[in-house]
Amino acid sequence: MLKGKGQAFLEMASTEAAVSMVNYYTPATPHLHNRPVYIQYSNYKELKTENLHDQARPQAALQGVNAVQHGSLAITSALDGEGGHLPSQGSVLRIVVENVFYPITLEMLYQIFSKFGYVLKIVMFHKNNQFQALLQYADAMNAYCAKMSLDGHSIYTGCCTLRIDFSKLTTLKVKYNNDKSRDFTRVDLPFGDGQRTLDASLAATFATPNTVFPSYPGAAGFAQPLGFPQGAGISVPAAPGALGSLTITPSTVSGQIRGVAGIPGNSVLLVSNLNPEAITPYGLFILFGVYGNVHRVKIMFKKRGIALVQMADATQAQLAINHLNGQRLYGRVMHTTLSKYQTIQLPREGQEDKGLTKDYSNSPLHRFKNPGSKNCQNIFPPSATLHLSNIPPSVTVDDLKNLFASKGSTVKAFKFFQ
């Protein structure tokens, strides 16, 4: 127990038991004497209880490391516990986001991490099927505070968990200012090869250290990111040497951050460079349905290689972009971006359509009808391995292999779950 701090350490018999406990209590916060108890992992592998006198120094550090996000971050305690010396790591952090159910945007990372100091550069990428980012602060102290405060926290309850380490890199090289990389000290960088630079209104925003972005509104069925209230912006307590605690509301920002085209917050996707010989509305419904509930699909009557896909909400639309843009489908590299249209209109009666516009809003095949369902935690980029469920008990391995082979697939391996 940490006297007077309202905190304690609990060592379980095994790592598996600790993981099980955290997983159980993360979506359902336990209460003791009518007060919520927050449970998270400690940086320490075991508790040493035999020599109480020598515990004072590590305890001071532990208080900082394990301070719960709803209270003071107490980073100063952590530094005191280490003799007041800052560790020798640099100012670049490597951020891995585990269990990505809702999309992580560059603006969102900026908004969270700028609470701890001036963010100079951010680069986002996928590696080993994981969402990762590199983020450079102006000061190593800011990087240290951010790591100590945010490592292990989930942006949403039960998903989008931050794993933060110091990078071996001392500085980041950013060539483009776009939705995957940004240098906040350079307003002259292009979006990509041969593309325009940031427009004037955005350039003015990026030119100031205390850049503010629209608050991330959260997503249906999930708790708010890092515990901030709807529409009020992130309210992470300020750390030593950090920027003042900003409360960011949509009204404080005149213009949204835009991609090259499309409307931010839109749920309609523009999908292009499709194979017109092979593509069908149903095929797009099934593919995009892995990343959200598809309401409508429209293949263009005069341009069969272009389609519109309407998702249930903007968050699911962004998730589909993150996972499907640039994937090869029927021999062509598919381009997926936000559309300028807010909705897909169904054809009027008597209007020639040839079955190219379909409404799936009441389909029984939607995967995300129940908020917080297990499907929400199992979203991955396309790969050669499929997960099958709802298999009748009488079906054999050969039945399933023959079924997939009949559709032109070559089955390389198969395994039933135990």
Side-chain angles (χ1 to χ4, degrees):
M1 303 279 289
L2 299 181
K3 285 184 179 175
K5 292 289 181 183
Q7 298 180 21
F9 299 106
L10 182 68
E11 183 180 340
M12 305 293 281
S14 66
T15 305
E16 289 75 19
V19 169
S20 177
M21 182 175 177
V22 170
N23 288 348
Y24 182 85
Y25 282 124
T26 297
T29 305
H31 285 70
L32 272 177
H33 302 295
N34 297 319
R35 292 188 61 177
V37 179
Y38 301 103
I39 299 172
Q40 57 192 125
Y41 299 112
S42 160
N43 281 7
Y44 284 72
K45 301 293 182 195
E46 62 178 322
L47 297 179
K48 292 184 178 175
T49 53
E50 65 278 1
N51 190 341
L52 294 173
H53 180 70
D54 288 340
Q55 278 194 297
R57 269 168 60 90
Q59 273 192 353
L62 282 165
Q63 288 162 19
V65 173
N66 295 285
V68 179
Q69 67 195 60
H70 294 262
S72 162
L73 293 171
I75 293 295
T76 45
S77 300
L79 290 177
D80 290 342
E82 295 175 1
H85 296 297
L86 184 70
S88 58
Q89 288 89 353
S91 59
V92 179
L93 295 177
R94 185 177 74 100
I95 302 156
V96 175
V97 185
E98 296 176 348
N99 196 11
V100 178
F101 173 59
Y102 283 113
I104 308 299
T105 65
L106 192 142
E107 284 73 41
M108 201 169 161
L109 290 178
Y110 179 92
Q111 200 178 21
I112 293 168
F113 282 85
S114 63
K115 296 296 173 184
F116 300 91
Y118 182 21
V119 176
L120 298 181
K121 303 168 186 176
I122 301 175
V123 177
M124 303 192 314
F125 54 95
H126 276 85
K127 186 178 179 183
N128 302 329
N129 268 356
Q130 279 185 319
F131 176 95
Q132 299 192 28
L134 293 168
L135 183 145
Q136 182 179 347
Y137 277 104
D139 189 281
M141 174 73 178
N142 302 147
Y144 177 74
C145 290
K147 175 184 170 8
M148 296 297 259
S149 306
L150 296 175
D151 186 28
H153 281 305
S154 293
I155 298 174
Y156 289 100
T157 304
C159 67
C160 301
T161 304
L162 298 169
R163 302 290 178 209
I164 304 170
D165 289 304
F166 292 101
S167 169
K168 293 174 184 173
L169 299 172
T170 55
T171 186
L172 298 180
K173 290 182 181 176
V174 176
K175 290 168 66 179
Y176 307 121
N177 278 338
N178 54 31
D179 59 349
K180 292 283 184 267
S181 64
R182 202 160 296 165
D183 184 337
F184 294 95
T185 66
R186 297 272 308 274
V187 297
D188 57 320
L189 295 178
F191 272 105
D193 286 320
Q195 294 185 346
R196 64 188 176 85
T197 55
L198 285 172
D199 64 43
S201 62
L202 286 183
T205 310
F206 291 136
T208 57
N210 295 347
T211 309
V212 288
F213 289 112
S215 70
Y216 192 68
F222 272 69
Q224 289 303 306
L226 287 172
F228 62 87
Q230 183 84 20
I234 295 173
S235 117
V236 180
L243 301 178
S245 184
L246 295 173
T247 301
I248 302 170
T249 61
S251 61
T252 60
V253 184
S254 56
Q256 289 268 28
I257 302 301
R258 283 180 174 76
V260 180
I263 301 168
N266 193 4
S267 62
V268 179
L269 298 169
L270 174 67
V271 188
S272 56
N273 201 38
L274 297 168
N275 184 334
E277 305 299 320
I279 205 67
T280 63
Y282 184 75
L284 289 172
F285 164 68
I286 292 295
L287 178 61
F288 281 77
V290 175
Y291 304 104
N293 294 334
V294 177
H295 283 194
R296 291 178 181 178
V297 177
K298 180 184 184 72
I299 294 175
M300 297 302 184
F301 187 70
K302 292 184 178 177
K303 294 182 178 177
R304 301 289 173 94
I306 299 174
L308 296 174
V309 178
Q310 184 174 336
M311 309 296 288
D313 59 44
T315 306
Q316 294 179 1
Q318 190 61 51
L319 198 63
I321 290 174
N322 289 1
H323 286 300
L324 293 177
N325 185 39
Q327 294 284 352
R328 189 173 289 277
L329 182 63
Y330 298 124
R332 291 195 180 186
V333 176
M334 179 170 52
H335 301 303
T336 309
T337 185
L338 292 175
S339 166
K340 65 182 180 181
Y341 298 104
Q342 299 278 353
T343 184
I344 294 177
Q345 299 289 338
L346 293 174
R348 293 187 299 275
E349 206 171 321
Q351 187 179 353
E352 191 181 13
D353 180 68
K354 293 192 175 173
L356 296 176
T357 306
K358 295 288 185 184
D359 185 279
Y360 297 105
S361 50
N362 294 317
S363 171
L365 298 178
H366 286 165
R367 299 182 72 228
F368 306 106
K369 290 196 285 273
N370 303 320
S373 78
K374 279 193 174 177
N375 287 339
C376 302
Q377 297 173 29
N378 290 296
I379 295 184
F380 305 102
S383 75
T385 305
L386 296 174
H387 174 272
L388 311 183
S389 59
N390 213 31
I391 302 169
S394 59
V395 169
T396 66
V397 173
D398 286 339
D399 291 336
L400 287 166
K401 283 186 173 180
N402 292 337
L403 177 68
F404 278 84
S406 73
K407 299 296 179 186
S409 301
T410 304
V411 181
K412 289 172 75 173
F414 183 92
K415 185 176 85 171
F416 272 119
F417 284 86
Q418 293 301 318

